[in-house]
Amino acid sequence: MKATCTMHDLAAELLEQIYTLACTDGGYTGCSLSLVSKHVREASRSARFHSISLTSGIARQLDVFLQCFYKERSAAAEHEGERTPIVRHLCIAAADGKDEQHSWCYRRTYMDPELDTTCETAIELEHQQYTTDLISFLQLAAPNLYTLSLVHWQGWQRLTMLHDIECAGFPLLQELTIAGPDPFIPKPDASLPLYPRVARLHLADKWGGFTDFPRWADGGLSPNVTHLRLSNLGHIPIELMAFVEHKKNDKFPHLTRFLIQPRGPPAPGGRCGNPYIQYDVFQSALAHLHAFAALPVEQLPDKEVPCLSQETWEEIAKREWLDRLEGGPGCWAAPATSCTA
């Protein structure tokens, strides 16, 4: 009689590989596996956190996740030979509310006259605690990440702004998307670049000015970039113009693709003409960039500022991040036009 084999009979190493390949959807499958049975929950412990998405804009989501994550790491430490759960792929948007989106922003901007000092202090403490927890988690996850998509702003609705997060670096990171300024800084004694293996770098700027670009153009942060994209570009910094005028850039010697997505025109019907004048100036500068570029510049369709009827920045980042995990092009899809000098 032929013996039957069940998942309980498979080697732990094989099960780990199976569960890891399944957990590439931002955490949904990982949550489902934890509810199957005690055996599956324990067997999949090291794989369930393989890819994590925290983009609700609510601080409680991070609270609940960290409680579970730290608990499972402690449980793994109690079993000799068991792998400690780590995060390999992370998509995260810095929250702007404790239990509901925009609550911190709303209550500060439109402060209720009856809101007393005690309540205001409590709101500030909530925000500070969330920021501390988020920074600690990012520092813990940094050494193991393969992909990171970080959003810490959302158009007119202000997400928590992160800055000066000191870390030892991202030695394994291969793909990085940052919407907002880069909040990470290397430790004073760091011997390697902050992002030594990043090959695909995607930067987005809330106002389109890319004042942070000179820091990246230096090349010291990520010297092995092969794909570079700038989204929501509304201004051409001098450093960007100098960057494209050199066909063989010594700061990014491995660069093979450079994509830009310009910011869209201002909405029609405005009483003030300044936005339209600024947009015309930008279009002239963009044409100048294409005319004098020594390296191929691939231009994507204009980017419109997200509104209530469109995807938010967090939704866009998550969709493109998930597409990359599934083997798709993500934000690196071929553009409609490509311009060279």
Side-chain angles (χ1 to χ4, degrees):
M1 187 174 183
K2 188 179 287 188
T4 59
C5 179
T6 67
M7 291 193 70
H8 293 268
D9 302 315
L10 297 178
E13 294 79 7
L14 181 58
L15 285 174
E16 182 182 14
Q17 292 296 320
I18 294 172
Y19 292 138
T20 298
L21 291 173
C23 295
T24 56
D25 55 2
Y28 181 82
T29 298
C31 291
S32 300
L33 287 172
S34 69
L35 300 174
V36 174
S37 67
K38 182 178 179 181
H39 171 75
V40 172
R41 182 170 66 249
E42 293 178 352
S44 63
R45 179 180 285 130
S46 63
R48 281 189 277 119
F49 300 91
H50 183 69
S51 68
I52 296 297
S53 172
L54 302 169
T55 57
S56 69
I58 300 173
R60 178 160 176 74
Q61 185 185 37
L62 179 67
D63 294 340
V64 173
F65 167 75
L66 290 181
Q67 290 175 20
C68 177
F69 185 54
Y70 293 146
K71 179 181 178 181
E72 293 298 309
R73 285 174 64 89
S74 298
E78 295 175 359
H79 296 80
E80 186 177 353
E82 183 172 338
R83 293 179 183 270
T84 302
I86 57 176
V87 180
R88 290 297 192 187
H89 305 276
L90 178 63
C91 181
I92 189 165
D96 58 0
K98 178 65 177 177
D99 296 306
E100 58 179 319
Q101 232 179 352
H102 315 318
S103 62
W104 289 333
C105 176
Y106 179 84
R107 295 179 76 174
R108 286 174 177 172
T109 308
Y110 308 101
M111 194 61 70
D112 188 337
E114 298 181 0
L115 191 66
D116 58 21
T117 305
T118 303
C119 186
E120 186 177 348
T121 302
I123 294 173
E124 187 61 34
L125 289 175
E126 283 179 0
H127 186 221
Q128 290 177 359
Q129 184 60 52
Y130 168 78
T131 304
T132 300
D133 292 343
L134 177 56
I135 290 175
S136 298
F137 171 58
L138 289 171
Q139 290 171 329
L140 175 65
N144 304 304
L145 288 175
Y146 291 157
T147 67
L148 171 62
S149 183
L150 171 65
V151 180
H152 61 130
W153 52 263
Q154 183 196 8
W156 294 104
Q157 296 290 350
R158 181 180 58 81
L159 297 183
T160 295
M161 181 64 72
L162 304 173
H163 55 83
D164 296 341
I165 302 177
E166 189 176 274
C167 63
F170 296 77
L172 303 179
L173 193 67
Q174 300 167 14
E175 299 193 19
L176 173 62
T177 293
I178 298 183
D182 180 14
F184 300 104
I185 57 174
K187 290 185 175 181
D189 58 347
S191 58
L192 294 174
L194 198 57
Y195 311 105
R197 293 190 179 185
V198 167
R200 295 174 183 256
L201 177 62
H202 179 198
L203 305 175
D205 187 282
K206 174 171 60 175
W207 304 113
F210 282 88
T211 56
D212 203 32
F213 185 76
R215 183 168 179 258
W216 292 99
D218 178 70
L221 293 177
S222 51
N224 292 306
V225 169
T226 60
H227 293 59
L228 175 62
R229 171 173 167 171
L230 305 181
S231 292
N232 202 39
L233 182 68
H235 171 70
I236 309 295
I238 296 175
E239 294 80 6
L240 176 57
M241 195 66 213
F243 176 80
V244 300
E245 287 178 349
H246 295 84
K247 189 169 186 178
K248 196 66 176 178
N249 195 296
D250 59 342
K251 303 299 182 182
F252 292 100
H254 309 292
L255 189 67
T256 58
R257 289 191 68 193
F258 178 46
L259 295 81
I260 59 173
Q261 184 179 42
R263 191 171 190 170
R271 295 184 179 181
C272 177
N274 288 340
Y276 304 99
I277 296 174
Q278 293 172 357
Y279 184 72
D280 286 341
V281 172
F282 166 64
Q283 287 295 307
S284 298
L286 189 60
H288 181 81
L289 180 144
H290 283 303
F292 290 91
L295 57 84
V297 179
E298 304 175 47
Q299 183 169 325
L300 296 160
D302 289 355
K303 170 68 181 172
E304 295 183 2
V305 178
C307 64
L308 294 178
S309 61
Q310 298 173 318
E311 285 184 302
T312 63
W313 290 103
E314 300 97 298
E315 292 169 340
I316 295 171
K318 182 177 180 179
R319 172 171 52 77
E320 293 176 340
W321 173 76
L322 285 173
D323 190 46
R324 285 295 297 156
L325 291 186
E326 295 170 356
C331 66
W332 305 103
T337 60
S338 177
C339 303
T340 58

